Amino acid sequence: MKVLVIGGGAREHALCRSLSLDPDVTALHCAPGNAGIAEVAEVHPVDQLDGDAVSALARRLGADLVVVGPEAPLVAGVADAVRAAGIPCFGPSEQAAQLEGSKAFAKDVMAGANVPTARSYVCTTPEEIDEALDAFGAPYVVKDDGLAAGKGVVVTDDLAAAREHALACDRVVIEEFLDGPEVSLFAITDGVTVLPLQPAQDFKRALDGDEGPNTGGMGAYSPLPWADPKLVDEVMDSVLQPTVDELRRRGTPFAGLLYAGLAITSRGVRVIEFNARFGDPETQVVLARLKTPLAGVLLNAANGTLADQAPLNWSGDAAVTVVVASHNYPGTPRTGDPIEGLDEVAAQDAPHAYVLHAGTKQDGDAVVSAGGRVLSVTASGTDLAQARERAYAAVGRIRLDGSQHRTDIALKAAGE
């Protein structure tokens, strides 16, 4: 089949890499793509928020499947436009994508589905904000209701900082703080059948030891040796299937990738948030461990035939990804710096380690930085310690002026 992936980050590079290894994929395209994706797929310019432009490109390429990577095109209804053109599309409708596009909508769905989550208030006035902050106390959890590219959440003991963030949002969700480690669990669904993937953990803070500001994610690992072996089954029964059933009951069936961000609290599993697409950087490690060819699974979800899907086959290996970010990230990043060492990683670390591009572009013969998170260096190993060692060895070969990365990704989980 011919596949078109929409997006241009490391998540899309991970998807394109997996799809390029699938024997059923005869042609692979990505729009707009990036410098790394161009090595495994044919890239095309497109306004990824323009459903008509995306569907016209898919028609012109004769795509048998379109995979929409980022959240913004999904919330803009791009998947609806592709389906309206008669092309199977992996990604939820504009209405169903409100599960990520609106925190308040997600809380309402969770209440209807009896999904365990933090108690919360939706606030639109300064008075409501002050009441909610006072009711919960520190640490304060303040979430912009809309899309914020992973940076709309502030968790702080500083009341003034919490209030400042809340007042900057049109509508804000203020909720109780959830203790315990966080887990990301993805599930592929066609709106009825739910197929969970392997859990992962990501690292949101910019600096080692979970210090510094929140980011879109600085690294991830899978599997989670410390997690209860029954965790996936429990989350399927209490979170994923009830949410999919509730959205179908409301007449807004969710077909695509349902991402549950979870806290494993002293009182049990609680949902922190839902996303409507593969998470970045967790996708990089989850797909590194998936042995089942990807295209057929995504097509089954798009066509409503996921019940026919054979059980997924997973590698027993561990995977670690380390994000190399540009100078000043998560503030306004410096871009246009040349990236060196990519050829050395390909020559010396493959096949166990490889580089997935996020914010990069081709500038003549050079690859240069073009965003905040620039690269996701991903490695596999027999255990987390070996995967970590391989990932950081590859990171050490990359040269990008002013770049930053965390040195403690999967450190505790690896028992080091």
Side-chain angles (χ1 to χ4, degrees), residues 252-285:
T252 54
F254 186 105
L257 195 290
L258 177 59
Y259 165 140
L262 308 163
I264 314 299
T265 76
S266 52
R267 293 167 301 157
V269 174
R270 297 286 185 273
V271 175
I272 300 168
E273 64 174 354
F274 283 125
N275 290 333
R277 38 75 197 178
F278 280 101
D280 183 341
E282 301 97 320
T283 302
Q284 289 86 302
V285 291

mmCIF file of all heavy atoms in Angstrom, residues 252-285:
data_model
loop_
_atom_site.group_PDB
_atom_site.id
_atom_site.type_symbol
_atom_site.label_atom_id
_atom_site.label_comp_id
_atom_site.label_asym_id
_atom_site.label_seq_id
_atom_site.Cartn_x
_atom_site.Cartn_y
_atom_site.Cartn_z
ATOM 1 N N THR A 252 -19.826 10.532 18.856
ATOM 2 C CA THR A 252 -18.540 11.042 18.351
ATOM 3 C C THR A 252 -17.503 9.937 18.493
ATOM 4 O O THR A 252 -16.572 10.055 19.304
ATOM 5 C CB THR A 252 -18.074 12.291 19.129
ATOM 6 O OG1 THR A 252 -18.051 11.967 20.533
ATOM 7 C CG2 THR A 252 -18.980 13.459 18.901
ATOM 8 N N PRO A 253 -17.638 8.833 17.740
ATOM 9 C CA PRO A 253 -16.708 7.711 17.917
ATOM 10 C C PRO A 253 -15.266 8.139 17.684
ATOM 11 O O PRO A 253 -14.981 8.953 16.806
ATOM 12 C CB PRO A 253 -17.163 6.687 16.877
ATOM 13 C CG PRO A 253 -17.999 7.452 15.908
ATOM 14 C CD PRO A 253 -18.610 8.583 16.664
ATOM 15 N N PHE A 254 -14.374 7.582 18.493
ATOM 16 C CA PHE A 254 -12.947 7.918 18.429
ATOM 17 C C PHE A 254 -12.217 6.781 17.743
ATOM 18 O O PHE A 254 -12.138 5.674 18.272
ATOM 19 C CB PHE A 254 -12.395 8.119 19.847
ATOM 20 C CG PHE A 254 -10.966 8.615 19.879
ATOM 21 C CD1 PHE A 254 -10.690 9.928 20.198
ATOM 22 C CD2 PHE A 254 -9.901 7.768 19.568
ATOM 23 C CE1 PHE A 254 -9.383 10.396 20.222
ATOM 24 C CE2 PHE A 254 -8.594 8.223 19.584
ATOM 25 C CZ PHE A 254 -8.335 9.550 19.909
ATOM 26 N N ALA A 255 -11.690 7.045 16.556
ATOM 27 C CA ALA A 255 -10.891 6.050 15.827
ATOM 28 C C ALA A 255 -9.521 6.652 15.561
ATOM 29 O O ALA A 255 -9.413 7.713 14.941
ATOM 30 C CB ALA A 255 -11.569 5.668 14.516
ATOM 31 N N GLY A 256 -8.490 5.980 16.042
ATOM 32 C CA GLY A 256 -7.133 6.503 15.885
ATOM 33 C C GLY A 256 -6.304 6.062 17.070
ATOM 34 O O GLY A 256 -6.420 4.927 17.530
ATOM 35 N N LEU A 257 -5.462 6.959 17.558
ATOM 36 C CA LEU A 257 -4.569 6.642 18.672
ATOM 37 C C LEU A 257 -5.059 7.377 19.916
ATOM 38 O O LEU A 257 -5.060 8.612 19.962
ATOM 39 C CB LEU A 257 -3.130 7.073 18.329
ATOM 40 C CG LEU A 257 -1.966 6.546 19.176
ATOM 41 C CD1 LEU A 257 -1.953 7.135 20.595
ATOM 42 C CD2 LEU A 257 -1.956 5.024 19.266
ATOM 43 N N LEU A 258 -5.481 6.623 20.913
ATOM 44 C CA LEU A 258 -5.891 7.201 22.190
ATOM 45 C C LEU A 258 -4.724 7.057 23.164
ATOM 46 O O LEU A 258 -4.255 5.952 23.422
ATOM 47 C CB LEU A 258 -7.133 6.478 22.724
ATOM 48 C CG LEU A 258 -7.643 6.924 24.095
ATOM 49 C CD1 LEU A 258 -7.994 8.413 24.087
ATOM 50 C CD2 LEU A 258 -8.856 6.092 24.499
ATOM 51 N N TYR A 259 -4.271 8.170 23.676
ATOM 52 C CA TYR A 259 -3.092 8.227 24.549
ATOM 53 C C TYR A 259 -3.583 8.603 25.940
ATOM 54 O O TYR A 259 -4.167 9.671 26.120
ATOM 55 C CB TYR A 259 -2.157 9.273 23.963
ATOM 56 C CG TYR A 259 -1.018 9.811 24.798
ATOM 57 C CD1 TYR A 259 0.223 10.037 24.196
ATOM 58 C CD2 TYR A 259 -1.152 10.183 26.129
ATOM 59 C CE1 TYR A 259 1.282 10.585 24.896
ATOM 60 C CE2 TYR A 259 -0.100 10.720 26.847
ATOM 61 C CZ TYR A 259 1.112 10.918 26.215
ATOM 62 O OH TYR A 259 2.155 11.464 26.921
ATOM 63 N N ALA A 260 -3.354 7.730 26.908
ATOM 64 C CA ALA A 260 -3.707 8.028 28.291
ATOM 65 C C ALA A 260 -2.439 8.352 29.071
ATOM 66 O O ALA A 260 -1.529 7.524 29.152
ATOM 67 C CB ALA A 260 -4.423 6.843 28.927
ATOM 68 N N GLY A 261 -2.371 9.565 29.597
ATOM 69 C CA GLY A 261 -1.315 9.942 30.530
ATOM 70 C C GLY A 261 -1.815 9.624 31.931
ATOM 71 O O GLY A 261 -2.848 10.143 32.359
ATOM 72 N N LEU A 262 -1.111 8.759 32.646
ATOM 73 C CA LEU A 262 -1.610 8.193 33.896
ATOM 74 C C LEU A 262 -0.683 8.525 35.059
ATOM 75 O O LEU A 262 0.531 8.618 34.889
ATOM 76 C CB LEU A 262 -1.698 6.662 33.776
ATOM 77 C CG LEU A 262 -2.453 6.118 32.566
ATOM 78 C CD1 LEU A 262 -2.119 4.651 32.354
ATOM 79 C CD2 LEU A 262 -3.948 6.317 32.744
ATOM 80 N N ALA A 263 -1.268 8.655 36.239
ATOM 81 C CA ALA A 263 -0.500 8.715 37.479
ATOM 82 C C ALA A 263 -0.822 7.455 38.276
ATOM 83 O O ALA A 263 -1.997 7.110 38.446
ATOM 84 C CB ALA A 263 -0.861 9.953 38.287
ATOM 85 N N ILE A 264 0.218 6.751 38.717
ATOM 86 C CA ILE A 264 0.032 5.567 39.548
ATOM 87 C C ILE A 264 0.073 6.053 40.995
ATOM 88 O O ILE A 264 1.129 6.131 41.618
ATOM 89 C CB ILE A 264 1.123 4.507 39.291
ATOM 90 C CG1 ILE A 264 1.331 4.300 37.783
ATOM 91 C CG2 ILE A 264 0.778 3.203 39.980
ATOM 92 C CD1 ILE A 264 0.122 3.817 37.025
ATOM 93 N N THR A 265 -1.094 6.429 41.539
ATOM 94 C CA THR A 265 -1.149 7.091 42.848
ATOM 95 C C THR A 265 -1.299 6.062 43.968
ATOM 96 O O THR A 265 -1.531 4.874 43.734
ATOM 97 C CB THR A 265 -2.329 8.079 42.932
ATOM 98 O OG1 THR A 265 -3.550 7.331 43.108
ATOM 99 C CG2 THR A 265 -2.438 8.933 41.668
ATOM 100 N N SER A 266 -1.210 6.550 45.189
ATOM 101 C CA SER A 266 -1.395 5.679 46.357
ATOM 102 C C SER A 266 -2.822 5.143 46.415
ATOM 103 O O SER A 266 -3.090 4.156 47.088
ATOM 104 C CB SER A 266 -1.070 6.460 47.634
ATOM 105 O OG SER A 266 -1.790 7.682 47.651
ATOM 106 N N ARG A 267 -3.750 5.791 45.672
ATOM 107 C CA ARG A 267 -5.152 5.342 45.664
ATOM 108 C C ARG A 267 -5.513 4.616 44.368
ATOM 109 O O ARG A 267 -6.683 4.384 44.088
ATOM 110 C CB ARG A 267 -6.080 6.547 45.848
ATOM 111 C CG ARG A 267 -5.955 7.193 47.227
ATOM 112 C CD ARG A 267 -6.635 8.541 47.265
ATOM 113 N NE ARG A 267 -6.052 9.428 46.268
ATOM 114 C CZ ARG A 267 -6.678 10.476 45.749
ATOM 115 N NH1 ARG A 267 -7.895 10.766 46.110
ATOM 116 N NH2 ARG A 267 -6.084 11.235 44.851
ATOM 117 N N GLY A 268 -4.491 4.296 43.552
ATOM 118 C CA GLY A 268 -4.766 3.586 42.305
ATOM 119 C C GLY A 268 -4.446 4.446 41.084
ATOM 120 O O GLY A 268 -3.951 5.572 41.206
ATOM 121 N N VAL A 269 -4.745 3.911 39.912
ATOM 122 C CA VAL A 269 -4.452 4.601 38.649
ATOM 123 C C VAL A 269 -5.428 5.759 38.450
ATOM 124 O O VAL A 269 -6.641 5.603 38.630
ATOM 125 C CB VAL A 269 -4.545 3.617 37.463
ATOM 126 C CG1 VAL A 269 -4.391 4.351 36.137
ATOM 127 C CG2 VAL A 269 -3.488 2.524 37.581
ATOM 128 N N ARG A 270 -4.888 6.922 38.055
ATOM 129 C CA ARG A 270 -5.723 8.088 37.737
ATOM 130 C C ARG A 270 -5.273 8.660 36.394
ATOM 131 O O ARG A 270 -4.067 8.696 36.110
ATOM 132 C CB ARG A 270 -5.579 9.186 38.806
ATOM 133 C CG ARG A 270 -6.041 8.777 40.199
ATOM 134 C CD ARG A 270 -7.566 8.720 40.289
ATOM 135 N NE ARG A 270 -8.030 8.443 41.630
ATOM 136 C CZ ARG A 270 -8.196 7.230 42.136
ATOM 137 N NH1 ARG A 270 -7.874 6.160 41.411
ATOM 138 N NH2 ARG A 270 -8.660 7.056 43.357
ATOM 139 N N VAL A 271 -6.217 9.136 35.591
ATOM 140 C CA VAL A 271 -5.880 9.767 34.315
ATOM 141 C C VAL A 271 -5.486 11.226 34.555
ATOM 142 O O VAL A 271 -6.239 11.993 35.152
ATOM 143 C CB VAL A 271 -7.061 9.694 33.320
ATOM 144 C CG1 VAL A 271 -6.728 10.471 32.038
ATOM 145 C CG2 VAL A 271 -7.383 8.242 32.983
ATOM 146 N N ILE A 272 -4.290 11.586 34.082
ATOM 147 C CA ILE A 272 -3.856 12.980 34.129
ATOM 148 C C ILE A 272 -4.422 13.731 32.931
ATOM 149 O O ILE A 272 -4.943 14.834 33.042
ATOM 150 C CB ILE A 272 -2.314 13.073 34.102
ATOM 151 C CG1 ILE A 272 -1.705 12.341 35.300
ATOM 152 C CG2 ILE A 272 -1.855 14.530 34.065
ATOM 153 C CD1 ILE A 272 -0.200 12.146 35.172
ATOM 154 N N GLU A 273 -4.317 13.089 31.752
ATOM 155 C CA GLU A 273 -4.796 13.731 30.516
ATOM 156 C C GLU A 273 -4.954 12.677 29.430
ATOM 157 O O GLU A 273 -4.386 11.588 29.514
ATOM 158 C CB GLU A 273 -3.796 14.796 30.035
ATOM 159 C CG GLU A 273 -2.446 14.207 29.646
ATOM 160 C CD GLU A 273 -1.484 15.209 29.045
ATOM 161 O OE1 GLU A 273 -1.874 16.357 28.820
ATOM 162 O OE2 GLU A 273 -0.325 14.819 28.787
ATOM 163 N N PHE A 274 -5.743 13.024 28.435
ATOM 164 C CA PHE A 274 -5.816 12.240 27.207
ATOM 165 C C PHE A 274 -5.183 13.034 26.076
ATOM 166 O O PHE A 274 -5.305 14.260 26.020
ATOM 167 C CB PHE A 274 -7.273 11.953 26.813
ATOM 168 C CG PHE A 274 -7.926 10.867 27.608
ATOM 169 C CD1 PHE A 274 -9.117 11.104 28.274
ATOM 170 C CD2 PHE A 274 -7.377 9.594 27.673
ATOM 171 C CE1 PHE A 274 -9.746 10.099 28.995
ATOM 172 C CE2 PHE A 274 -7.995 8.583 28.396
ATOM 173 C CZ PHE A 274 -9.181 8.837 29.058
ATOM 174 N N ASN A 275 -4.533 12.334 25.150
ATOM 175 C CA ASN A 275 -4.140 12.922 23.878
ATOM 176 C C ASN A 275 -4.779 12.108 22.765
ATOM 177 O O ASN A 275 -5.142 10.946 22.962
ATOM 178 C CB ASN A 275 -2.618 12.946 23.704
ATOM 179 C CG ASN A 275 -1.963 13.949 24.649
ATOM 180 O OD1 ASN A 275 -2.579 14.932 25.041
ATOM 181 N ND2 ASN A 275 -0.729 13.700 25.017
ATOM 182 N N ALA A 276 -4.891 12.726 21.597
ATOM 183 C CA ALA A 276 -5.609 12.109 20.481
ATOM 184 C C ALA A 276 -4.661 11.624 19.394
ATOM 185 O O ALA A 276 -5.062 11.442 18.252
ATOM 186 C CB ALA A 276 -6.612 13.120 19.902
ATOM 187 N N ARG A 277 -3.392 11.404 19.782
ATOM 188 C CA ARG A 277 -2.372 11.017 18.786
ATOM 189 C C ARG A 277 -1.196 10.378 19.512
ATOM 190 O O ARG A 277 -1.091 10.428 20.733
ATOM 191 C CB ARG A 277 -1.906 12.238 17.998
ATOM 192 C CG ARG A 277 -1.773 13.529 18.794
ATOM 193 C CD ARG A 277 -0.577 13.599 19.676
ATOM 194 N NE ARG A 277 -0.666 14.637 20.687
ATOM 195 C CZ ARG A 277 0.270 14.844 21.587
ATOM 196 N NH1 ARG A 277 1.357 14.115 21.604
ATOM 197 N NH2 ARG A 277 0.133 15.783 22.509
ATOM 198 N N PHE A 278 -0.301 9.766 18.748
ATOM 199 C CA PHE A 278 0.923 9.215 19.313
ATOM 200 C C PHE A 278 1.675 10.309 20.079
ATOM 201 O O PHE A 278 1.799 11.430 19.593
ATOM 202 C CB PHE A 278 1.831 8.691 18.198
ATOM 203 C CG PHE A 278 1.460 7.337 17.667
ATOM 204 C CD1 PHE A 278 0.773 7.196 16.470
ATOM 205 C CD2 PHE A 278 1.823 6.182 18.350
ATOM 206 C CE1 PHE A 278 0.446 5.942 15.959
ATOM 207 C CE2 PHE A 278 1.509 4.929 17.861
ATOM 208 C CZ PHE A 278 0.818 4.803 16.666
ATOM 209 N N GLY A 279 2.177 9.980 21.251
ATOM 210 C CA GLY A 279 2.933 10.943 22.051
ATOM 211 C C GLY A 279 4.382 11.000 21.620
ATOM 212 O O GLY A 279 4.948 10.026 21.144
ATOM 213 N N ASP A 280 4.988 12.167 21.813
ATOM 214 C CA ASP A 280 6.399 12.367 21.465
ATOM 215 C C ASP A 280 7.089 12.818 22.754
ATOM 216 O O ASP A 280 6.676 13.828 23.319
ATOM 217 C CB ASP A 280 6.467 13.452 20.386
ATOM 218 C CG ASP A 280 7.862 13.728 19.869
ATOM 219 O OD1 ASP A 280 8.825 13.370 20.554
ATOM 220 O OD2 ASP A 280 7.981 14.326 18.787
ATOM 221 N N PRO A 281 8.053 12.096 23.307
ATOM 222 C CA PRO A 281 8.940 11.123 22.669
ATOM 223 C C PRO A 281 8.625 9.644 22.929
ATOM 224 O O PRO A 281 9.418 8.783 22.574
ATOM 225 C CB PRO A 281 10.296 11.472 23.288
ATOM 226 C CG PRO A 281 9.946 11.895 24.688
ATOM 227 C CD PRO A 281 8.598 12.575 24.595
ATOM 228 N N GLU A 282 7.472 9.318 23.546
ATOM 229 C CA GLU A 282 7.200 7.912 23.856
ATOM 230 C C GLU A 282 7.066 7.040 22.612
ATOM 231 O O GLU A 282 7.444 5.858 22.632
ATOM 232 C CB GLU A 282 5.921 7.773 24.698
ATOM 233 C CG GLU A 282 5.959 8.510 26.020
ATOM 234 C CD GLU A 282 5.280 9.854 25.935
ATOM 235 O OE1 GLU A 282 5.447 10.544 24.896
ATOM 236 O OE2 GLU A 282 4.589 10.222 26.880
ATOM 237 N N THR A 283 6.520 7.606 21.534
ATOM 238 C CA THR A 283 6.373 6.833 20.290
ATOM 239 C C THR A 283 7.710 6.238 19.849
ATOM 240 O O THR A 283 7.768 5.109 19.341
ATOM 241 C CB THR A 283 5.827 7.746 19.167
ATOM 242 O OG1 THR A 283 4.579 8.275 19.604
ATOM 243 C CG2 THR A 283 5.636 6.988 17.874
ATOM 244 N N GLN A 284 8.773 7.006 20.031
ATOM 245 C CA GLN A 284 10.083 6.576 19.570
ATOM 246 C C GLN A 284 10.499 5.250 20.228
ATOM 247 O O GLN A 284 11.083 4.380 19.573
ATOM 248 C CB GLN A 284 11.126 7.667 19.866
ATOM 249 C CG GLN A 284 10.982 8.916 18.983
ATOM 250 C CD GLN A 284 10.015 9.950 19.473
ATOM 251 O OE1 GLN A 284 8.845 9.658 19.672
ATOM 252 N NE2 GLN A 284 10.491 11.189 19.661
ATOM 253 N N VAL A 285 10.176 5.072 21.520
ATOM 254 C CA VAL A 285 10.577 3.833 22.199
ATOM 255 C C VAL A 285 9.550 2.718 22.030
ATOM 256 O O VAL A 285 9.901 1.543 21.947
ATOM 257 C CB VAL A 285 10.885 4.059 23.705
ATOM 258 C CG1 VAL A 285 12.150 4.884 23.856
ATOM 259 C CG2 VAL A 285 9.729 4.699 24.450
#
